[in-house]
Amino acid sequence: MLAGVSALVLAGGLSGCGGDSDSSGESAGGRTTIDVWLMRDSVSAQFQKEFVAGFEATHADIDVKVQIQEWDGIGEKVTAALASNDAPDVIETGNTQVAQFAQSGGLLDLSDKVDELGGGNWLKGLAEPGAYEGKQYGIPYYAANRVVIYRTDLFKKAGVDAAAVKTRDQWIAATEKLNTGGTQGIYLPGQMWYALAGFIWDEGGDLATLSGDTWKGALDTPQAVRGMNFYEQLQALGKGPKDADEAQPPQAEVMAKGQVAQIISTPGGANVVIANNPGLKGRLGFFPIPGKTAARPGSVFTGGSDLVIPAASGKQDAAFTFIKELTGDAWQRKLAAAMSYVPNKTTLADAVAADPGASAMAVGAAVGRATPNTPGWAAVEAKNPIEDYMTAVLTGADARAEAAKASASITAAMATS
């Protein structure tokens, strides 16, 4: 997910901003200095510069010192910071990471700020994983999710109108028409489990469910198996490897070779395709992943970031002011325009109306979801029995039997985390 979001961004390293401060956090002019951790490539250097300058001009009593963090190893670094007496004041974190940090007791409960921040309109895929045990710790920052990237020329040649592909049945029919001769209707690797999750959610199933106080794998429910059945049907309309994910080989590079009509990717994948084959510039389009009916787009995994405040911060009021500004409507619109991200509220979808990729994302984001909201899910992703399950089914094994095995593995992983 993090790699997929970063693919949308062409930013380089970002430098810190704000005035000089002493060890107490007070600037020379008596202003409060807040330390903010933002993630590498989450925003461009230009956007960060503009926001910090605008914020400090509006809030003359607050200086902002930004430190850029690397995604690799960030979980351990944040955990250590939250347990120390020297935590930053604001931290950007992946939306699915909030639960593990909240579990430690190291985050400030922001539940009483939800209404003030317009929380009733937040994207569920950011807001729900930002909550833990009924309390809101993470404030939605920005979102990105997968769409269908397609070859406009191949669709036209096959007589397929992409704008009319609204349902799964229409998607299958169109992909069958495209899957002819030397052209793959879709390149869908066998282990793209985030795409599978969306199909499962559309069927009313889930990856895991909470029973009492215990999380249990749920891939063996009839609804989840139906989701896998659809994945198998779609995956067969191309030559994607059954035992690999979208990174092995990089699917955008496969599409760049010119014989793939569609891939499922974040819109930034189109830039990678064109970088590898400039001849495809102007020949790529986007549409939301179709749902079971035309009335509702397909469910998608919502990636992106939330902003949190450590409980150990001594400048929580200033930290909240920073978050309120950055996640407010005005700067969310500017962020969407600058970065082609989906804004944090469904009411701001029009901010990306002129961006074909981002506007397709926004349609899906409105019904987006996140992985099971529990710290134990990290252990599942580390072992990833879902990928093994998918490969087993795609290579001929019984779906229900393999789903039962994978569900048991998920239950065990979550129990030992």
Side-chain angles (χ1 to χ4, degrees), residues 318-381:
F320 175 73
T321 300
F322 176 92
I323 289 178
K324 183 177 180 180
E325 192 92 359
L326 185 52
T327 63
D329 290 3
W331 282 103
Q332 281 291 301
R333 288 183 177 278
K334 294 177 182 179
L335 177 64
M339 306 303 300
S340 293
Y341 286 151
V342 179
N344 63 2
K345 299 184 183 74
T346 57
T347 49
L348 299 177
D350 64 302
V352 293
D355 185 324
S359 60
M361 273 202 303
V363 172
V367 293
R369 295 179 57 174
T371 49
N373 189 17
T374 169
W377 188 254
V380 176
E381 291 198 24

Side-chain angles (χ1 to χ4, degrees), residues 67-324:
Q67 298 179 45
I68 300 303
Q69 306 297 322
E70 304 295 337
W71 285 110
D72 187 30
I74 189 60
E76 293 81 359
K77 187 169 185 177
V78 171
T79 298
L82 295 178
S84 73
N85 293 320
D86 190 31
D89 304 296
V90 177
I91 300 175
E92 174 191 349
T93 179
N95 58 327
T96 60
Q97 296 177 314
V98 176
Q100 75 179 89
F101 301 142
Q103 184 187 42
S104 70
L107 298 182
L108 181 66
D109 178 8
L110 297 170
S111 302
D112 62 341
K113 304 293 187 180
V114 171
D115 289 342
E116 182 179 350
L117 295 173
N121 294 315
W122 282 339
L123 297 177
K124 290 183 178 180
L126 294 179
E128 289 180 353
Y132 180 66
E133 295 186 340
K135 297 179 180 179
Q136 193 73 37
Y137 296 96
I139 304 304
Y141 180 17
Y142 64 83
N145 49 265
R146 290 165 177 80
V147 299
V148 179
I149 301 177
Y150 73 98
R151 284 276 301 274
T152 56
D153 54 334
L154 294 180
F155 269 57
K156 183 177 181 180
K157 181 180 178 181
V160 177
D161 179 6
V165 180
K166 300 292 187 182
T167 69
R168 279 190 188 177
D169 288 344
Q170 292 168 342
W171 193 17
I172 290 293
T175 305
E176 288 175 340
K177 291 184 69 174
L178 292 156
N179 192 44
T180 182
T183 299
Q184 297 184 54
I186 188 169
Y187 179 84
L188 181 59
Q191 296 183 348
M192 188 186 285
W193 68 274
Y194 283 124
L196 171 64
F199 302 152
I200 290 173
W201 292 330
D202 281 344
E203 295 290 349
D206 211 334
L207 305 174
T209 56
L210 185 62
S211 177
D213 296 327
T214 304
W215 281 91
K216 296 182 178 180
L219 293 179
D220 54 340
T221 64
Q223 297 91 335
V225 172
R226 286 200 299 268
M228 184 64 219
N229 289 342
F230 177 76
Y231 191 102
E232 185 176 14
Q233 183 182 10
L234 186 64
Q235 201 271 339
L237 299 176
K239 300 177 182 178
K242 293 176 170 56
D243 60 350
D245 62 19
E246 59 267 39
Q248 301 174 347
Q251 64 173 357
E253 295 180 10
V254 176
M255 190 177 198
K257 295 178 180 178
Q259 296 177 317
V260 171
Q262 305 172 84
I263 58 173
I264 298 173
S265 171
T266 56
N271 297 329
V272 182
V273 173
I274 294 168
N276 282 274
N277 184 352
L280 293 181
K281 186 174 182 179
R283 296 159 69 184
L284 299 177
F286 312 87
F287 60 84
I289 292 175
K292 294 190 70 175
T293 69
R296 188 181 189 278
S299 299
V300 291
F301 168 76
T302 302
S305 288
D306 283 11
L307 299 172
V308 300
I309 299 176
S313 167
K315 292 157 278 185
Q316 293 175 353
D317 289 344
F320 175 73
T321 300
F322 176 92
I323 289 178
K324 183 177 180 180

Side-chain angles (χ1 to χ4, degrees), residues 379-398:
V380 176
E381 291 198 24
K383 299 181 68 174
N384 219 323
I386 305 173
E387 293 183 338
D388 295 336
Y389 158 62
M390 296 173 73
T391 294
V393 174
L394 294 174
T395 53
D398 180 74

